[in-house]
Amino acid sequence: MPPVAAELTGSWLRRMALASGLPAQDLVRGILNGSQTVQITGTPKTALEAYLNAPARSALARFTRVPQSRLYELLPQLGPTHPRLSDDGGPQAAWFTPAHAWVTACPQCTARAWSRRQPVLLYPGSVGHICRRHRRWLLANAHGPASVPLGILPEVMAAHRRHVALVRGVAGAAGAVAVAAAMVWSWLAQQWWIGDKLWSRRAAALASLTGCPAVSVAAHALIAYPETISVAALLSNPQWQQRLRQSASDDGLRAAKAMALEDIGRWIGRPWLVDWLTADARTRRPGAEERDPLQWWLGQLTGPNPSPGDLWCVPDSLARPVHYGDRLTFLTDLRVREVIDGAKAACLTGGWEPVPHRPSPAGPHHSSR
């Protein structure tokens, strides 16, 4: 039983255990058992992902008869060794919370590996959150299939095609998406989504597909996904960046920002964006510009000797909040507890997110998708 590409190591071990008729912990202990004492931290009931040290990875390869090099290709978190484990001594394993977002695989695409008792769990990487073949946004549910059909949301599928092209054609595309997400979030957080026809329609569609109130789904990444990808494509365009640099040099940063907003507004189908934000800025507290992701990005772009990496490392204080509940606090006047339960039941609070760019940890076997 080989692993599925990008599968959680813990997911694969659970599937092998189910096929063998064993508890997952007993399977792991059996794989690692030898002349040396086996050390296992945690249990499959307490966390989803399994981490192995170097001796344990070697034992896994021997047991499954799959070369380690192939396992590293298929299992993104198999190596390097987790910081809480050591390669000294005998084999070690640990069950920890996954370090990255994960989703439940499309059951049609993984039919041979699928089981009702143990679904295939995957790391979506940059663009694996949508199954293009079956037109579904994949959600995170460790107990069964979970996804959103996108037949009534063709703009989301179109955005995913642009997203894939962006990742393939632009270095640092994930960082550009993170910065774009921060910008779009800064507008969404002003409860713009309530009056915006496109966002309101998507929220209503997602609510009807999941059985949740619209306010419960408003914090999901799907709502602003098309605009986020459009803005990311614009931000990563070298010709557009040069136009902004020239505008800032000739007329100052304020003029460059006005130009950027006009272009973004046209690009995402909101030509009124610059007027709306200008009017809104008059009522905001002093210092609001310092918390504006677009203002920050323009400062990076037009600063002295900017490096490409500087454009995409959005500060945590400006980034789109990672946790679903944190985002909900900006989008509703209701208590979060009153609206988040429905989102949790519909598996909307986990899964893929346009997370801020962070340097990849060094390691001989680290890989990212």
Side-chain angles (χ1 to χ4, degrees):
M1 180 184 291
V4 174
E7 188 171 5
L8 275 67
T9 307
S11 169
W12 183 40
L13 290 171
R14 284 181 173 88
R15 291 196 299 112
M16 285 196 294
L18 182 62
S20 303
L22 294 172
Q25 191 81 322
D26 290 349
L27 175 69
V28 173
R29 193 173 298 279
I31 292 173
L32 305 186
N33 193 24
S35 58
Q36 296 175 307
T37 302
V38 176
Q39 178 181 336
I40 303 180
T41 302
T43 73
K45 294 182 179 180
T46 60
L48 286 178
E49 184 58 299
Y51 295 89
L52 308 177
N53 69 349
R57 294 195 293 270
S58 298
L60 179 64
R62 288 193 301 269
F63 175 82
T64 59
R65 299 182 180 179
V66 179
Q68 281 197 56
S69 58
R70 181 60 176 157
L71 291 180
Y72 288 132
E73 292 175 0
L74 296 173
L75 303 169
Q77 291 299 300
L78 183 62
T81 298
H82 192 282
R84 293 169 65 180
L85 300 179
S86 171
D87 288 334
D88 298 332
Q92 298 177 15
W95 295 91
F96 295 141
T97 300
H100 302 287
W102 57 274
V103 297
T104 309
C106 173
Q108 290 104 317
C109 291
T110 56
R112 292 184 179 181
W114 190 270
S115 166
R116 291 183 178 179
R117 294 172 58 190
Q118 180 52 57
V120 179
L121 309 181
L122 304 178
Y123 290 109
S126 297
V127 295
H129 56 293
I130 287 179
C131 174
R132 295 172 66 181
R133 178 183 300 175
H134 299 105
R135 303 173 65 86
R136 287 182 171 274
W137 184 295
L138 304 177
L139 304 175
N141 181 11
H143 306 292
S147 61
V148 176
L150 297 174
I152 62 174
L153 294 169
E155 70 272 24
V156 176
M157 291 298 303
H160 188 251
R161 288 192 291 272
R162 296 195 302 272
H163 193 178
V164 171
L166 186 68
V167 169
R168 290 176 176 172
V170 176
V177 171
V179 175
M183 292 182 186
V184 175
W185 165 254
S186 71
W187 310 327
L188 186 68
Q190 298 172 50
Q191 298 195 8
W192 177 21
W193 74 275
I194 296 175
D196 183 88
K197 293 182 179 180
L198 291 177
W199 282 347
S200 295
R201 183 181 68 82
R202 270 182 230 139
L206 184 55
S208 67
L209 292 169
T210 58
C212 296
V215 68
S216 294
V217 307
H220 195 268
L222 180 151
I223 301 300
Y225 180 66
E227 291 77 16
T228 297
I229 301 306
S230 293
V231 173
L234 193 59
L235 294 178
S236 56
N237 185 301
Q239 291 76 26
W240 190 67
Q241 292 178 6
Q242 184 55 40
R243 283 185 58 217
L244 294 178
R245 290 192 188 98
Q246 190 63 50
S247 176
S249 176
D250 293 344
D251 303 309
L253 196 60
R254 188 176 295 273
K257 183 176 181 179
M259 176 187 291
L261 284 173
E262 288 180 3
D263 290 347
I264 290 173
R266 287 194 298 269
W267 197 249
I268 65 174
R270 273 82 164 187
W272 42 263
L273 177 63
V274 62
D275 293 334
W276 184 84
L277 288 177
T278 300
D280 181 73
R282 297 193 185 102
T283 64
R284 300 175 71 182
R285 296 178 180 178
E289 282 196 345
E290 298 175 4
R291 300 184 296 277
D292 182 354
L294 176 58
Q295 185 80 15
W296 168 84
W297 184 80
L298 286 170
Q300 299 296 110
L301 178 70
T302 60
N305 303 318
S307 67
D310 292 339
L311 293 177
W312 312 130
C313 291
V314 58
D316 290 340
S317 60
L318 301 180
R320 176 179 180 271
V322 173
H323 297 294
Y324 200 92
D326 292 342
R327 296 195 298 274
L328 276 179
T329 60
F330 290 91
L331 302 179
T332 177
D333 294 329
L334 301 173
R335 296 178 62 185
V336 170
R337 289 183 180 180
E338 297 176 8
V339 295
I340 199 171
D341 287 345
K344 288 180 178 178
C347 303
L348 296 176
T349 56
W352 179 87
E353 292 287 344
V355 297
H357 174 70
R358 292 291 181 267
S360 298
H365 306 299
H366 177 84
S367 64
S368 60
R369 296 173 68 242

